[in-house]
Amino acid sequence: MSSANQSGRFTLGDRSVKRLGYGAMQLAGPGVFGPPRDRDAAVAVLREAVASGVDHIDTSDFYGPHVTNQLIREALHPYAEHLVIVTKIGAKRGADGSWNPAFSRDELTQAVHDNLRNLGLDALDVVNLRAMFSVHGPAEGSIEAPLTVLADLQRQGLVRHVGLSNVTPAQIAQGRKICEIVGVQNHYNLAHRADDALIGDLARDGIAYVPFFPLGGFTPLQSSTLSDVAARLGATPMQVALAWLLRRAPNILLIPGTSSVAHLRENLAVAELVLPDDAIKQLDHIAAG
């Protein structure tokens, strides 16, 4: 059985987690909206992930909405003591499936309570505040007001640790003046490397970096170099892309998502995939191409 055990560990809040985790986003319906086509298959993927050693699951109550959290509860509750579930707030879904900001005190408070209820928890391990100044990527804007709300909920004991998502370095600096930030979740992969310097800065401060869309997201990574390296190593291009991220920095925690047990096993197998130095050099040039 493929396992996350060979991926190494890094600290997330007050917990040490394996660097190869699982993202639950793809368990919802098309466009991360509505129920899955096969609920039993979604439950099976979650159970297989934990059985294979995954101890870090990423989710949000606006996936579905409510769908992925309810699936996680159905599949895994009562939760193993070692399992860390990370969720996020700051957005809501429109009736048409659109992604909209939800930054008011009432919206943020309700979102935390929705996550607690649907996951079946008394306190959330880590909650990321997702900046929504632009849906498609980080954009400047003050996060002081919404992060202050989240810090208040942390003081109430509803949230153990706080992270940030879809943010700029300036917003991270602003956030760290308000409360401890244990992780940053931004768009990053072989071809999208705007956060190269940021990852190193966070590593020096012991802060986890969690790349979303590690395989390109809704537009999967495509590169002849990536395909060539994968063929030489007897791996899939997506396995090589994940293995490169594991090698990129020690504070990177991966959360590749899938709704397939077979694909999950492929993803977890990258923990044992060794990338030779010459392959790393080839892959490093993809972003400049």
Side-chain angles (χ1 to χ4, degrees):
M1 178 182 293
S2 297
S3 168
N5 293 332
Q6 304 300 314
S7 62
R9 306 186 74 89
F10 194 79
T11 301
L12 185 59
D14 58 355
R15 307 280 287 278
S16 171
V17 298
K18 294 165 189 170
R19 293 181 58 217
L20 196 49
Y22 174 74
M25 186 184 210
Q26 292 187 35
L27 294 183
V32 201
F33 198 66
R37 294 186 180 94
D38 187 335
R39 190 177 186 89
D40 290 342
V43 167
V45 168
L46 286 162
R47 289 177 176 164
E48 177 75 13
V50 173
S52 298
V54 167
D55 59 8
H56 169 206
I57 292 179
D58 181 84
T59 185
S60 174
D61 210 59
F62 56 71
Y63 294 166
H66 317 306
V67 170
T68 61
N69 281 355
Q70 291 170 358
L71 285 167
I72 289 168
R73 181 175 184 172
E74 178 182 340
L76 303 175
H77 194 277
Y79 302 112
E81 208 172 302
H82 65 276
L83 183 64
V84 176
I85 298 177
V86 179
T87 188
K88 64 185 71 63
I89 61 175
K92 61 184 178 182
R93 307 301 295 278
D96 59 351
S98 55
W99 304 79
N100 303 307
F103 258 26
S104 72
R105 175 173 289 274
D106 286 348
E107 288 171 321
L108 294 166
T109 302
Q110 183 63 51
V112 164
H113 284 281
D114 286 346
N115 277 282
L116 289 167
R117 182 183 66 256
N118 285 314
L119 286 168
L121 291 169
D122 297 322
L124 300 169
D125 293 323
V126 182
V127 176
N128 291 325
L129 177 69
R130 191 188 200 283
M132 291 289 289
F133 299 105
S134 171
V135 176
H136 302 294
E140 296 297 353
S142 176
I143 61 170
E144 180 178 2
L147 189 58
T148 298
V149 174
L150 184 50
D152 287 344
L153 294 166
Q154 183 183 32
R155 282 188 284 273
Q156 293 172 33
L158 300 178
V159 174
R160 294 192 179 98
H161 300 284
V162 173
L164 297 172
S165 178
N166 199 44
V167 286
T168 67
Q171 288 163 338
I172 296 167
Q174 182 185 42
R176 295 181 70 185
K177 294 177 181 177
I178 297 168
C179 63
E180 181 185 5
I181 301 300
V182 303
V184 171
Q185 190 178 105
N186 274 3
H187 183 187
Y188 184 83
N189 56 48
L190 261 174
H192 187 96
R193 297 182 57 177
D195 279 355
D196 269 345
L198 174 62
I199 291 170
D201 292 341
L202 296 175
R204 283 187 286 275
D205 290 336
I207 298 173
Y209 184 90
V210 186
F212 65 76
F213 294 158
L215 302 178
F218 300 114
T219 307
L221 291 172
Q222 292 185 341
S223 160
S224 57
T225 299
L226 178 59
S227 297
D228 290 346
V229 170
R232 177 157 63 91
L233 297 178
T236 70
M238 298 301 99
Q239 285 178 317
V240 171
L242 291 174
W244 178 87
L245 284 167
L246 280 178
R247 280 282 302 267
R248 171 62 185 80
N251 61 324
I252 287 181
L253 301 177
L254 297 187
I255 51 167
T258 179
S259 57
S260 155
V261 167
H263 189 206
L264 171 72
R265 290 172 178 163
E266 279 188 10
N267 288 343
L268 296 181
V270 307
E272 300 174 10
L273 179 60
V274 177
L275 297 181
D277 289 343
D278 62 331
I280 293 287
K281 289 179 181 177
Q282 286 180 270
L283 295 168
D284 282 346
H285 285 101
I286 288 176

